[in-house]
Amino acid sequence: MTAAAAQAAADAQALEVRAAVRQAVSVSVATGLYGISFGALSVVAGLDVLQTMALSLLMFSGGSQFALIGVIGAGGTPGAAVATAGLLGVRNTLYGAQLGPVLALDRWRKVLAAHVTIDESTAVATAQRSRRAARAGFWWTGVGIFVLWNLMTLAGALAGDALGDPAAWGLDAAASAAFLALLWPRLATRAMQLTAAAAVVVAAALIPVAPGGVPVLAAAAVAIVIGALTGRRHGRTPQEES
């Protein structure tokens, strides 16, 4: 490879990294703002500010957090709340298995990465074409959401009942809109469209009959299986590139 070609490749990769960071920042802001909704709803459900902050700092999984306070707010037992939240959290294990080869982290960084492995950081990382961009997208998204989510959780918990219905502020749609924006460009191929359709059908079929969290896990399993089969058929994935 000539010096000019090497420089062009480096410039292209730098552009990919900057694009990944911009994407990560936009997703972090949209998702982090939704933390104010969790903080307010947690206090309404009966938790105090310290308990609410402990959930966001230590659990840091929006779906699991909302599931836990939902069960508590409905009068469920602590055991039921923990079981429901834990079931939803299992999906993060699947994300870890997918991200491991992409991020290729050493031991102590794996511990930090595990805490910020969530829906959004996984989506941004896997949307990138190079490993360097994937790493940038993962860390900027994960850490960005962690900081903003906890700040907004504190604000929401302090506001409590004064905030009113979070849906009235449009916060209930912010995270979903950000995630849809990430998903939409990935549906350019027929294989991705069929994968998404299969996951939606499985989740929709299970929602009326399965416990909370099971439809999400089942949909994720469908996507992972199809992705694994497709990856074997076409060889190395783009994320395996350095």
Side-chain angles (χ1 to χ4, degrees):
M1 180 182 294
T2 65
Q7 183 61 46
D11 291 342
Q13 191 172 74
L15 287 175
E16 288 182 10
V17 171
R18 286 197 290 269
V21 171
R22 287 195 299 269
Q23 190 177 59
V25 170
S26 64
V27 171
S28 296
V29 172
T31 306
L33 288 175
Y34 193 33
I36 198 169
S37 176
F38 170 74
L41 292 176
S42 179
V43 171
V44 171
L47 277 67
D48 60 30
V49 174
L50 290 179
Q51 291 170 330
T52 298
M53 289 306 303
L55 283 178
S56 278
L57 287 166
L58 302 177
M59 182 181 288
F60 187 53
S61 180
S64 296
Q65 291 177 227
F66 277 107
L68 189 145
I69 65 170
V71 173
I72 292 176
T77 65
V82 171
T84 302
L87 184 60
L88 273 173
V90 170
R91 73 190 188 280
N92 291 352
T93 303
L94 302 176
Y95 296 155
Q98 182 182 15
L99 288 172
V102 177
L103 300 178
L105 301 172
D106 53 34
R107 182 172 300 178
W108 72 269
R109 286 178 181 169
K110 285 182 180 178
V111 175
L112 297 177
H115 196 56
V116 294
T117 298
I118 54 177
D119 297 332
E120 292 80 8
S121 60
T122 302
V124 173
T126 56
Q128 310 310 317
R129 294 187 298 175
S130 71
R131 178 172 289 172
R132 185 179 172 191
R135 286 174 174 172
F138 173 82
W139 287 112
W140 276 84
T141 305
V143 175
I145 292 178
F146 181 82
V147 172
L148 289 174
W149 180 268
N150 281 282
L151 288 175
M152 292 299 101
T153 293
L154 178 60
L158 294 175
D161 293 330
L163 181 65
D165 182 7
W169 298 78
L171 295 174
D172 57 323
S176 298
F179 202 80
L180 182 60
L182 279 175
L183 176 63
W184 191 258
R186 305 279 284 178
L187 302 180
T189 66
R190 178 58 60 87
M192 294 300 296
Q193 293 167 4
L194 292 176
T195 300
V200 168
V201 169
V202 169
L206 289 176
I207 286 174
V209 297
V214 171
V216 175
L217 292 175
V222 168
I224 289 172
V225 170
I226 295 176
L229 293 176
T230 303
R232 289 179 183 176
R233 183 179 307 168
H234 295 288
R236 192 175 65 172
T237 62
Q239 285 79 14
E240 290 174 334
E241 299 173 1
S242 60

